[in-house]
Structures are given as structure tokens and as C-alpha cells.
Amino acid sequence: MTRPEFALDVEAISAIPAVPVVLSMVKHLTGMRFAAVARVTDSHWVACAVDDSINFGLKPGGELVLESTICHEIRQHHNPVVFGHASVDPHYSTHHTPLAYGLESYISLPIVLADGRFFGTLCAIDSVPADLDDPAIVKTLTLFSQLIAMSLDTQGHLDTARAELSDANEHGRLREQFMAVLGHDLRTPLSAIRMSADLLATKTEDKRSLGLVAAIRQSSIRMGVLIENVLDFARGRMGGGIPVKRHLTDDLGDVLAATVQEVRASQPQAIFVERISLGERVYCDPLRISQLLSNLLGNAVTHGSIATPIHLDVTQDDGQVVISVTNRGTPISARMMPLLFEPFTRSEAGGRGEGLGLGLYIASQIATAHDGTLTVNSSAESGTCFVARFPAVPQA
């Protein structure tokens, strides 16, 4: 039975597909009938893989007394040991290892990992003499031992990468679960704040108090948008995309016009010029398309110039709904362009106001969920223009 502390070593060697072929080749090249890969430490000799035609009695996980082996010496000097006829060899005729095990021929090569650690040996033995004088034999077995070492290194790197990936995935899952729970639990107190603000507005006529109530209401609306963005981000990352409920509707234009009014009320410092022309029924989730537009308009206010109007065009063109939002201001840098629709990107890049940097990511996900696209062009001459396109009718 394999000792627990060596079980992973035995498993690692058994996981290398080339090892059985290597052991068979070692026997073929040397003419010897037993070949093995051994794990050798300062206290143990453990067989990790065995090809035995002489019934030596070792199986993977089996052990020999370390001091009874020559591998104990190889671990110290890291050099090959080779002899083909022990009984006539001036040194090994009296050596305890061939005498103890009745060996006449022996070859053993060190297996040393890339970081210099000694793993063990690739060895072959037999009770009859073998012709091992050809230098090509040692060279070939050295290459085999290096192949095993490289395979162990690669396997170690792969195991480390898998563990790190597993940790990263677990951390990501917990982080996204936390955001989802946090967003959900914030809805209740936020609803209470909104209701209280609406109630206060009906109870006073004082201009200063009404101004404070309006500020509370506006802040609560902003918080609601942020919470919904967090929830959508968590849903998108944990569930494979933002869910949409599409159906044929003939009031998308009215929904989008109401969205513009809501943004206009919450962003009184900005100027919006809109043109909404939708003459046919549209297959979409109106609430999600409203959210997409709200995020694009909010992005234009936050990152564009509020000294010039923000232009909105909503049309149907060649079977597609096209939503275009254009603003002036500092163009988006070439460095930011490839990352623009990734979460948290715009918040990291900076800009007026505060936000999580999820608006464009969510808008892009909504467009994708409608089998559409969200693209952007930005220059000092023409401004920054975001264009969302999606099919106006169900696709076959």
C-alpha cells in the first residue's frame, strides 16, 4: 500500500502517458528485464512505475530500504550509475546492493526537476549480465529521464494554474453573489426613502423644504439606477447574460420619450434634442431598451460636454431599430476604445460625477440579448456617437 505522503508522486508518474513506453524502451535498449521509475528522498525509495519481467516483486507504491539501494548514492551525487557484470566489476563485485538483490546488471539515471530538486531515478536491473558499454544507451536513457522530469514540471505548472483558476473563480462567484444580495437588500430602504420624499412634498409648501425634498428624490433615483446596474451586472455574470422578455409592442416610441423626460428631469443642467420616429411594431423588451437608452444618455451627460446639446435619434432602418446618442466633449482615447464595454472601465478612466462604470457594459449586454450590437465612434470633429442596432421583428 502506498504511503500517503508519496501517493501524489505515484499518481503524478502514472499520469504521464509516455512512462510505460519509456520503461518498455529501456528494457529493449538494455536487454534487461526490469525497469522502473522511483521516487527517492532522504529516507525512502518508492516505486512509482514498474515494468517487470523477472517477478522482482515490486508494484507501484512498493518500497525498498533506501540504504540497500544505489539510488541513495545517486541522490547525493546526481550522476548515472552503470555496470553490466557486477560479479567481475572491481567496485560493484563487493557492493552491498548487487549482493543483497542478486544483481548482475544495473543502470540508473537521476531525474532532476527544472528547479534543481531531485525527484528520483529511472533505473533497470537484471540478475544476468547485460552489454551496457555502448555510450548511446546512457545518452538515450538520460533523455528519457529528462523527458520524465519535464513532464513532471509541466504537470506541476498545470496543477498550480488549475488551483489558481479555481480560487479565482470561487472569489469571483462570491463577489458576484455579494453584489446581488447587496443590491437586492438595498431596494427596500431605498423604496422607503422615495415614498417618504413623495409624502414630504405633499405636506409642505416651503420652497427651501421642497428643494431638499427634490434633492432627496433625485438622489434616490440615482441610487436606484446604480442598484439596478449592480443587479444586472451580477445576473449577467452569474447567469450567462442579462435576461430580456421580448414581445411585439407598438409603444416603444412612447416608452423612449418618457425615458428622455426622466433623464431630463434628473439632469436639468443638460440639453437634450431628440427625434424619435418608430412607425411599426417592434419586437423587444421595452423596459430593457429604455434602460439601454437611459444608460447611454447618462453616459453622455457624465463624460461629454453639457455646454452643447446631446442629440438622440431613434429610427427604423432596413428592418432594424437604430438608437443613436451623440455628444460633444473630449474624444474617447484609442487606449480606452477596446475596453469601453467592459465593466468598471469608464469609472477607472475618470470623468465628471461618480458611477460604477457599468452603464455601457449593461447597455451592450442588452443590445446583445436583442440579437443586436452597440458600437461607438469618437473624434474631436464629429463628437462621440453610440449606436445601438437590433432587429425590429423576430428572427427566424
Side-chain angles (χ1 to χ4, degrees), residues 42 48 193 246 283 378 384:
D42 59 356
C48 294
I193 292 172
R246 289 188 282 179
Y283 182 65
S378 186
T384 297

Side-chain angles (χ1 to χ4, degrees), residues 101-123:
Y101 293 107
L103 304 180
E104 281 293 339
S105 51
Y106 178 98
I107 186 168
S108 183
L109 290 301
I111 299 173
V112 181
L113 304 180
D115 59 5
R117 287 182 296 126
F118 182 86
F119 176 85
T121 59
L122 171 63
C123 55

